[in-house]
């Protein structure tokens, strides 16, 4: 899955990243779904060890256009994982109180503690995406944020946080189909926001902003992965595999018991 990593300081041109790509799993959708079950099981065990060991902190950042599958990723990749020890932080339009503070204030408050996995559903990156595209802050403010974010993430990493960032890459046609599905299905209509259509019109501006984000904020300690996300099953496999291999590399183990348990008899 290393092919999806954004090598620091390289130029990303999203038009040359195919959102339909599926070269790491050619056996098709049905086999892909079975493979995901296997990844789910591995993730369950790894998360349990992470929680028990109480040493590492895992931060997963999900970003992508509307309908790119951030919610679906959480639902499917983390299926079966013990909710104790996993937390989702959703970043919506900031409240008045949040806007009264710097943009990292609400974010820092949600980062993982020891033994915890935290998934950011949107993140501080909105402050160089929607804020830039909708001109919610002047250029001289948001343009400084890339290096501020790099420093922030470096600090988190040096303090023991493992950071993985996923950009869910879909194209305009796929977004159209997913928005249409939300309109047509009464069980999905609650997800439809007219405002999403305004953002859809700004697609090229968002692509620009995403490219800058990927170019400036993929680092060795907090890399971005560009996930081909037109196919939901493939997206899940890519993210699940990267998580499993990253957690495996931490060589975690259950902690030793507090004292020698040999010879203890429970009456
Ligand atoms: P959703 O993720 O679909 O529930 O929508 C959340 C909305 O909040 C999106 O339209 C985001 O662009 C918006 N949002 C998130 N963070 C910010 C931010 N820092 N400033 C302005 N809008 C934001
Ligand atoms: Mg939305």
């Amino acid at each position: 899955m290393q092919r999806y990593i954004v090598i620091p300081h390289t130029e990303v041109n999203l038009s040359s990243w195919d959102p339909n790509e599926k070269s790491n799993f050619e056996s098709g959708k049905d086999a892909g779904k079975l493979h995901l079950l296997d990844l789910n099981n591995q993730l369950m065990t790894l998360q349990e060890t992470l929680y028990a060991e109480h040493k590492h902190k895992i931060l997963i950042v999900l970003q992508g256009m509307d309908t790119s599958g951030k919610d679906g990723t959480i639902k499917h990749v983390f299926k079966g994982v013990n909710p104790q020890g996993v937390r989702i932080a959703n970043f919506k339009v900031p409240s008045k109180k949040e806007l009264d503070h710097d943009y990292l204030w609400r974010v820092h408050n949600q980062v993982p503690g020891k033994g915890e996995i935290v998934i950011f559903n949107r993140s501080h990156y909105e402050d160089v995406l929607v804020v830039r595209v909708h001109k919610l802050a002047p250029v001289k403010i948001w343009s400084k944020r890339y290096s501020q974010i790099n420093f922030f993430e470096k600090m988190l990493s040096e303090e023991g946080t493992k950071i993985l960032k996923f950009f869910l890459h879909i194209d305009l046609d796929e977004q159209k189909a997913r928005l249409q599905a939300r309109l047509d299905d009464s069980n999905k209509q609650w997800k439809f926001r007219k405002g999403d259509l305004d953002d859809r019109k700004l697609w090229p501006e968002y692509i620009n902003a995403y490219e800058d984000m990927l170019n400036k904020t993929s680092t060795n300690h907090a890399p971005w992965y560009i996930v081909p996300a037109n196919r939901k099953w493939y997206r899940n496999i890519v993210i699940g595999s990267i998580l499993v291999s990253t957690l495996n590399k931490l060589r975690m183990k259950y902690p030793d018991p507090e004292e020698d348990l040999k010879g203890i008899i429970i009456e």
Side-chain angles (χ1 to χ4, degrees), residues 66 70 91-94 99 106 121-123 126-127 130-131 136 193 196 199 206:
D66 290 316
K70 301 180 286 296
F91 292 96
K92 308 269 184 189
V93 177
L99 282 174
R106 67 173 181 165
N121 185 354
R122 301 187 190 268
S123 64
E126 291 292 323
D127 293 282
V130 64
V131 166
L136 303 178
R193 280 178 46 244
D196 291 351
D199 272 345
Y206 269 105

Side-chain angles (χ1 to χ4, degrees), residues 3-6 12 14 17 165-169 214 224-228 238:
R3 64 185 303 150
Y4 302 124
I5 205 162
V6 177
V12 169
L14 280 173
W17 291 71
K165 304 182 295 198
F166 298 101
F167 167 62
L168 310 186
H169 185 32
L214 294 163
W224 274 109
Y225 292 87
I226 300 178
V227 181
V238 170

Side-chain angles (χ1 to χ4, degrees), residues 122-231:
R122 301 187 190 268
S123 64
H124 41 303
Y125 286 99
E126 291 292 323
D127 293 282
V128 290
L129 294 166
V130 64
V131 166
R132 168 178 174 171
V133 172
H134 285 276
K135 302 186 170 50
L136 303 178
V139 184
K140 71 173 197 319
I141 295 292
W142 61 252
S143 60
K144 295 199 179 94
R145 290 181 174 167
Y146 302 100
S147 60
Q148 292 163 356
I149 288 172
N150 286 340
F151 276 120
F152 172 62
E153 291 179 354
K154 184 130 203 333
M155 181 279 289
L156 292 178
S157 150
E158 286 172 354
E159 293 282 324
T161 308
K162 186 87 203 150
I163 307 173
L164 297 167
K165 304 182 295 198
F166 298 101
F167 167 62
L168 310 186
H169 185 32
I170 58 166
D171 59 25
L172 259 176
D173 288 344
E174 183 62 25
Q175 190 189 54
K176 185 175 184 184
R178 292 185 187 184
L179 286 171
Q180 191 65 50
R182 286 183 182 182
L183 266 184
D184 296 345
D185 180 344
S186 59
N187 291 337
K188 287 186 180 168
Q189 283 168 354
W190 64 274
K191 281 195 200 175
F192 189 86
R193 280 178 46 244
K194 274 194 177 160
D196 291 351
L197 299 181
D198 299 330
D199 272 345
R200 180 170 165 78
K201 288 195 194 109
L202 293 167
W203 187 276
E205 286 81 356
Y206 269 105
I207 290 287
N208 253 337
Y210 269 110
E211 284 177 344
D212 264 358
M213 173 196 87
L214 294 163
N215 287 332
K216 294 177 201 270
T217 62
S218 196
T219 56
N220 288 328
H221 53 271
W224 274 109
Y225 292 87
I226 300 178
V227 181
N230 271 6
R231 291 184 174 85

Side-chain angles (χ1 to χ4, degrees), residues 87-106:
R87 187 157 52 81
I88 320 293
N90 289 296
F91 292 96
K92 308 269 184 189
V93 177
S95 67
K96 181 168 182 314
K97 186 171 180 185
E98 287 168 346
L99 282 174
D100 281 346
H101 293 78
D102 68 88
Y103 67 102
L104 290 176
W105 181 73
R106 67 173 181 165

